[in-house]
Each structure stands twice: as C-alpha cells, then as structure tokens.
Amino acid sequence: MKKILTILTLTSSALMSSCNFLDFDESQGKTQEEAYAYFDNVTSLASAAYRELPKDYGVIGGALRESATDNSVASWKSNSLYDMYNDIWSPKKLVDNRWSTYYPVIHDINSFLELYSEEELDRFKWDPNFKDNITKTRNYIYEVRALRAFYYFEMIKRFKDVPLLTKTCSLDEVNTLQKTSFKDVLDFMVKEWDEVKVHLPEDYENFIGGETGRVTKGAVMAFKSRALLYAASPLYAGFSNVTWEQAAKAALDVINLGVYTLPNIDNDPLYDEDPGNNVLVSPQMIFEFRSSTDNSFERNNLPPTFTRGETKGYNNPTQNFVDAFEFKDGTSFDWNKPEHIAKMYYDEKGKETRDPRFYINVICNGMTYMNKKVDTYVGGLYGPHAEVEGYTLTGYYLKKLMNEKVDLDPAHQVKKPHHFPGYRYAEILLNYAESMNEFKGPDYTDATFTMSARQALNRVRSAAFMPDVVANTQSEFRTKVRNERRIELAFEDHRFWDIRRWKIGNVVEKIYGVKINNVNGVISANKEIIQTRVWDDKMYFYPIPQNEVFVNPNLTQNPGWTE
C-alpha cells in the first residue's frame, strides 16, 4: 500500500525579521544530539522542508494569485489584491509576502545539511531495518537540496537579486548580507538540480517504505525546465545568460525521460468530479503540492447561497479569459459576430460549443453544477448583486480545482483531499513548444530536437479534442502558444508569472465581464468593462519588505518601490 507523505510543519515563535528566523529551533525542544540521533526525528526534519510548497488555493486572503491577472478578479473589495489593482501596495504594505516564509525554510534546510550525520545513527546498525532506514535518510539529503533550490527559484522570480545562503549564519552575518545576482542564484539552482537528479528515484512506488509525494528525478528536471524557460524570457534575459535552446533542451530532457504521458481530458483524474487523491495517479502529474482534507476552497468559491453553509464566490473568471477559448473547430470567438454570441456557451440544442477546457475552468450561465442550474443573468439567483459582496462581478464563477463531491451543509459536511497540480506534463510540452519556437521557429527539428514546437503544442490540443494549431510564422505561433498556456494551465499559478516574464503587464489594466439579460426567456449578452486597474512596470518584481531593508541596508530596494 502506498504511504502518502505527511508534511510536518515546525513552528517558530519569531519568523518576522531578518534576524530572528535564524533562531529557529528545528528540534522542538530536543537537544541537537537527540534531534539527529533517531531515524524518526531525521524523517520529521527532512519532511519539514516541504512545508512551504506554494499551494494556491486562495493564498491571498481567499483570492488566487490568478485574480491579480486578466484571467480572474477578486469579488471582495476588502481583499488585499485591491492594493495591487490600485497600486497602493508598497514595501510596508505587502501583498503575497514570501520573504518571511521562504528564508526560514531555507535556513532549516541549511541546518539539516550541516547537522545530519550518519555517525549519530550508526548505533542502530544491528537493527534489521537499519539498511533501509539509512538508504531513506541518504535520499533526504538530495530531496532537501532540490527543495532549497526550488525555494530560491520562488524568491528570484519575485525579487530578482536575493541573498544566497547555503549555510547557517550568525546574527551579525545575516544583518550584513549582500544580494546575490539573479544569474548567480540561478546557476546555483541548476547546479544543485543537475547534481541531485542522478541520485533520486523516478518514483517511490518501489522505494523503501513506498511513500509518495516526495521529490523525484522527474520533479527536479521539471523544476529546471520551468526555471530556464523563465530565465530565457524577455524579463530575465537581460541579466541571465540562458538561451532558448537551453530552455528547450531542459524540457526535452523531461519528455525523453519517458515517465509521463498526457491523457485525454475526459480520462484524466485531474479533471474528475471527485479528484481528491485520484489526481495522484494522473499519468501527467510530475509533482503535486499536497494539501489537507477540507472543503474550504469550495466554500470560498461557490456562489453565495449556493448551498447551506456560507459560500463566498471569491474568484470570478473574467470575460478576457473566456474570450481566449476557441470554438470546438478552432475558430476564435468574435464579439462582432452575432452568431458567435448566440452560441457562446451552448448551441440551440444545449450542446457545448467551445474548447472543452472552458467547461473545466468556468461556471457559466446555464451550466448545471452540483446538480443545480446556475443562472448568472441580471436578476438570476446567482447573477450580480451590487449590494452584496461575493456575487459574480463578471458573470462567471470558478470551477477549476473544485471538488463537486464536497458538502458544505453543517449538518452533514463532506470534506475531500485537495492536491495542487504544481508540475505536470502538459506544462513541459508547452515549455518545449515556446522555447523551440523562440529558438528556431514552429517547425524546426534536428537530430537532437526531433519534435517540433508545433508537434508539442498539438499534443496538448489533441488531448483536449481541439484541432491542430494554425500559425505560419514565429510571431503567429508565439501568440498561439501563449494563449494555449493561458487556458491549459489556468488557475494553476502560471498566468501571474507568465505576464511578468513576457513583459505584458498592461494586459491587466482593463478587465471585462459579461452582462447577461433574460427577457421572457430571450437571452442577450454584452461585454462590459468591470474594472480598471493600474499597472506600473515596477510591478514586474515585488518590493523587498521594508523591515528587511531597515535592518540590513545592503538589501537595496527594487527599482520604483518607495516606502
């Protein structure tokens, strides 16, 4: 039987300043000798390295990072994303602050790597399980090194240059740290991943203990693929020496591993009505971020009054996003064509008309969800209510990542496991398609790159029952592959970062919804602007927390950000 990895969260009383996180006591009251002298303790300490994996089930007060993009909007105006929308966030008024969460876990990993010693465990060598236990603990070394590099990727994509700590530091040392360049941090990450991947198993099915959920060889290679894709992109290219060819090769290495496949969307557990633990056996899942058994994500995103128990409708997909979905035949949606508007979701017989992935992502007017028909037209039960927060601002509600089999009724609640799809094979194919197109165009192949960018992109489209892409030039294909990423990877924490690395921040300025009227059963729809946001190019990178800069002036603030 598989064992599912339980992530142990170790707590500290003080994690908020650049100084205090170094006082973290990973032994939870044990002496250093005790903490590393027992196999169970070592397992707990290594498992704690997983605790900050970025599961976005509403990481910003119930809102997804996606709702800071043109794909979605936060419906509650009290949410701190409105500070982003209005450009009133700052080094003192932070949104999505991860500086104070990633450095503590990096410190703990450094501590683990320094203090772990097989000599402390050698006294158990006569135990019949010693050989298996020591093999597992040796594996932990490579896991935590991979995760440390992963956390640095999360840091540099937010802040660009950051201090690179590979050992524990004294209080004086940490308060005088200098920033390390993006390039040098990236080089460190790639070197770490390249070194550890040869030691990690492809899966843990037959590994000692049969635990799943730990870092694998494929996961490390996928980390590298995404990191090099970002590094080759317009935002980072000026201070990275990574080429599109290198990014394509990193994605190709995952493809050539031969471990992952992309099933059709109607046969992928990722899209089950009851995904739960089923997503763990999806043949395209490379590395998932595991979360708890609950129903809070559904509670936060179902329409108000949808079921007994408070529901909040936090994240509303936008019309900008919906317009990105083609019709089933590959035709782009056009608001200037009445025949398109007449069948924008369903035809006259009630059959679906758009890319099948639309119905995976979005709850739209007329859809039946959890055995209820959802009416989002003006005056409909779940339509806009200007005086009540939580009702749709856009004409849509979120469906992606939801579990239809939860029950929010306080009298008989049903909770389900939730596992966030961190890295999956569809992304790797799209990484390859984008990189190859930028490297040599949509149709280039050679002895190394035997698959073209077009072939990779069409694999993703084929799994969604969509026709092959039509694009003749590199520029046309760039538009297509970017759109494909937008819809295939929606609400999986990609769009926010893609907008930045492509340097297209102005796309978030005008946010549209749909106003649907129902007059005696006759439905009409109009696209309307529902939000105007502020974009400033300083937002391509986050502000460094002001308290960190105050304690250590060497941490110069990112350009454009003031107190």
Side-chain angles (χ1 to χ4, degrees):
M1 178 181 294
K2 295 180 187 176
K3 294 181 181 178
I4 296 177
L5 170 63
T6 300
I7 306 302
L8 301 179
T9 302
L10 307 184
T11 60
S12 170
S13 60
L15 295 176
M16 301 313 294
S17 80
S18 61
C19 309
N20 290 340
F21 73 74
L22 292 176
D23 299 326
F24 187 87
D25 179 12
E26 63 277 332
S27 65
Q28 288 190 308
K30 297 181 177 66
T31 66
Q32 177 179 312
E33 290 74 18
E34 289 173 326
Y36 290 89
Y38 296 90
F39 283 110
D40 285 348
N41 290 350
V42 172
T43 296
S44 297
L45 292 164
S47 296
Y50 288 79
R51 70 182 185 269
E52 293 299 337
L53 293 177
K55 304 172 285 290
D56 191 359
Y57 282 110
V59 71
I60 306 175
L64 301 163
R65 247 185 305 271
E66 200 93 359
S67 286
T69 77
D70 53 345
N71 278 4
S72 182
V73 62
S75 67
W76 288 66
K77 293 181 174 59
S78 57
N79 190 276
S80 61
L81 280 188
Y82 279 78
D83 293 343
M84 276 192 176
Y85 297 165
N86 298 314
D87 190 20
I88 58 174
W89 57 315
S90 72
K92 287 185 176 179
K93 193 174 186 179
L94 300 167
V95 179
D96 189 34
N97 178 24
R98 290 292 172 267
W99 189 285
S100 63
T101 57
Y102 288 142
Y103 270 122
V105 72
I106 288 169
H107 164 265
D108 298 342
I109 291 171
N110 289 339
S111 179
F112 181 90
L113 292 171
E114 290 171 4
L115 297 176
Y116 169 77
S117 171
E118 289 188 13
E119 292 180 5
E120 296 288 340
L121 300 168
D122 195 53
R123 61 200 175 99
F124 296 108
K125 63 184 178 182
W126 305 116
D127 187 299
N129 296 318
F130 177 78
K131 184 178 179 180
D132 286 349
N133 286 334
I134 205 69
T135 299
K136 285 199 298 183
T137 57
R138 287 171 180 168
N139 198 70
Y140 296 154
I141 298 295
Y142 305 116
E143 292 178 48
V144 301
R145 286 176 61 188
L147 289 171
R148 180 176 59 180
F150 173 87
Y151 291 125
Y152 273 117
F153 173 59
E154 291 295 311
M155 290 292 288
I156 63 173
K157 77 182 186 184
R158 287 171 167 82
F159 301 104
K160 185 176 172 277
D161 302 339
V162 299
L164 176 62
L165 283 71
T166 59
K167 64 180 183 66
T168 55
C169 300
S170 69
L171 188 63
D172 289 339
E173 286 175 322
V174 76
N175 288 332
T176 56
L177 287 169
Q178 302 280 346
K179 285 183 177 180
T180 305
S181 71
F182 178 97
K183 177 185 178 300
D184 287 346
V185 178
L186 180 69
D187 288 347
F188 166 79
M189 290 157 39
V190 171
K191 182 174 182 290
E192 286 287 279
W193 288 330
D194 284 345
E195 287 181 2
V196 304
K197 72 179 181 182
V198 298
H199 300 283
L200 291 167
E202 290 184 358
D203 63 60
Y204 286 84
E205 295 285 335
N206 300 310
F207 193 76
I208 299 158
E211 287 183 338
T212 61
R214 309 197 82 101
V215 175
T216 62
K217 179 179 183 178
V220 168
M221 294 168 69
F223 297 166
K224 178 180 175 180
S225 172
R226 187 184 297 180
L228 293 193
L229 177 80
Y230 280 37
S233 298
L235 178 63
Y236 304 101
F239 35 87
S240 161
N241 59 359
V242 174
T243 65
W244 285 113
E245 181 180 9
Q246 290 172 308
K249 184 59 168 61
L252 182 64
D253 287 343
V254 183
I255 294 168
N256 288 342
L257 197 59
V259 173
Y260 311 104
T261 58
L262 184 62
N264 290 341
I265 59 173
D266 63 347
N267 193 38
D268 191 337
L270 191 64
Y271 306 121
D272 285 352
E273 291 182 356
D274 183 9
N277 286 331
N278 294 333
V279 304
L280 305 179
V281 298
S282 170
Q284 70 155 315
M285 192 64 74
I286 299 174
F287 190 56
E288 71 284 344
F289 304 149
R290 301 196 176 192
S291 194
S292 59
T293 296
D294 60 24
N295 54 24
S296 60
F297 188 68
E298 290 75 21
R299 185 183 305 280
N300 284 342
N301 288 286
L302 286 170
T305 73
F306 191 78
T307 182
R308 291 188 65 188
E310 184 182 8
T311 48
K312 300 178 180 178
Y314 267 133
N315 299 280
N316 302 162
T318 63
Q319 193 61 48
N320 311 54
F321 175 58
V322 171
D323 287 349
F325 289 89
E326 300 168 348
F327 285 104
K328 283 185 174 182
D329 65 359
T331 302
S332 296
F333 181 85
D334 188 344
W335 278 96
N336 294 314
K337 295 183 177 180
E339 64 272 21
H340 283 193
I341 300 172
K343 58 176 183 178
M344 62 189 299
Y345 314 130
Y346 304 98
D347 65 16
E348 64 277 3
K349 295 181 180 179
K351 293 184 178 181
E352 297 174 354
T353 56
R354 304 290 282 274
D355 181 326
R357 290 170 292 186
F358 169 75
Y359 307 93
I360 289 172
N361 281 277
V362 175
I363 298 175
C364 65
N365 184 61
M367 179 180 286
T368 297
Y369 187 70
M370 290 186 174
N371 299 316
K372 290 186 178 182
K373 186 179 180 183
V374 181
D375 294 320
T376 63
Y377 55 78
V378 176
L381 185 58
Y382 306 113
H385 290 64
E387 69 283 0
V388 182
E389 286 192 308
Y391 284 95
T392 181
L393 300 178
T394 63
Y396 304 101
Y397 292 97
L398 179 65
K399 185 179 180 185
K400 184 80 169 281
L401 304 175
M402 302 267 272
N403 190 309
E404 294 189 45
K405 300 303 180 181
V406 304
D407 193 332
L408 303 179
D409 191 327
H412 42 75
Q413 285 196 54
V414 175
K415 300 181 179 182
K416 293 286 185 176
H418 290 69
H419 306 300
F420 194 80
Y423 289 76
R424 57 188 181 94
Y425 191 55
E427 179 200 345
I428 300 301
L429 290 170
L430 292 169
N431 292 354
Y432 182 81
E434 179 180 347
S435 300
M436 279 300 293
N437 181 61
E438 298 297 342
F439 171 42
K440 287 287 188 177
D443 297 301
Y444 177 82
T445 60
D446 61 22
T448 299
F449 300 103
T450 57
M451 178 169 56
S452 69
R454 188 186 304 274
Q455 289 170 323
L457 180 58
N458 284 337
R459 282 194 190 183
V460 178
R461 290 176 64 83
S462 176
F465 305 103
M466 291 296 291
D468 288 353
V469 68
V470 177
N472 296 318
T473 66
Q474 184 184 54
S475 178
E476 289 175 355
F477 192 88
R478 179 183 300 123
T479 299
K480 292 292 186 179
V481 75
R482 289 184 176 186
N483 194 69
E484 198 71 21
R485 283 186 70 90
R486 183 179 188 180
I487 60 178
E488 173 65 30
L489 303 176
F491 302 101
E492 297 178 32
D493 200 19
H494 289 273
R495 182 67 176 172
F496 184 89
W497 308 110
D498 284 346
I499 285 172
R500 280 159 172 75
R501 68 183 180 86
W502 291 330
K503 298 183 71 173
I504 57 169
N506 63 311
V507 300
V508 307
E509 292 178 330
K510 294 187 182 301
I511 303 300
Y512 292 88
V514 63
K515 183 177 181 180
I516 301 174
N517 290 298
N518 183 345
V519 180
N520 299 320
V522 178
I523 301 292
S524 61
N526 293 286
K527 182 177 180 178
E528 295 188 345
I529 190 164
I530 58 100
Q531 194 175 78
T532 300
R533 301 176 185 169
V534 178
W535 175 261
D536 188 302
D537 284 353
K538 70 181 181 183
M539 298 179 191
Y540 284 126
F541 293 108
Y542 282 22
I544 295 174
Q546 188 60 37
N547 64 311
E548 302 289 345
V549 177
F550 177 78
V551 171
N552 180 4
N554 291 332
L555 299 178
T556 53
Q557 188 55 262
N558 279 333
W561 293 102
T562 59
E563 295 184 30

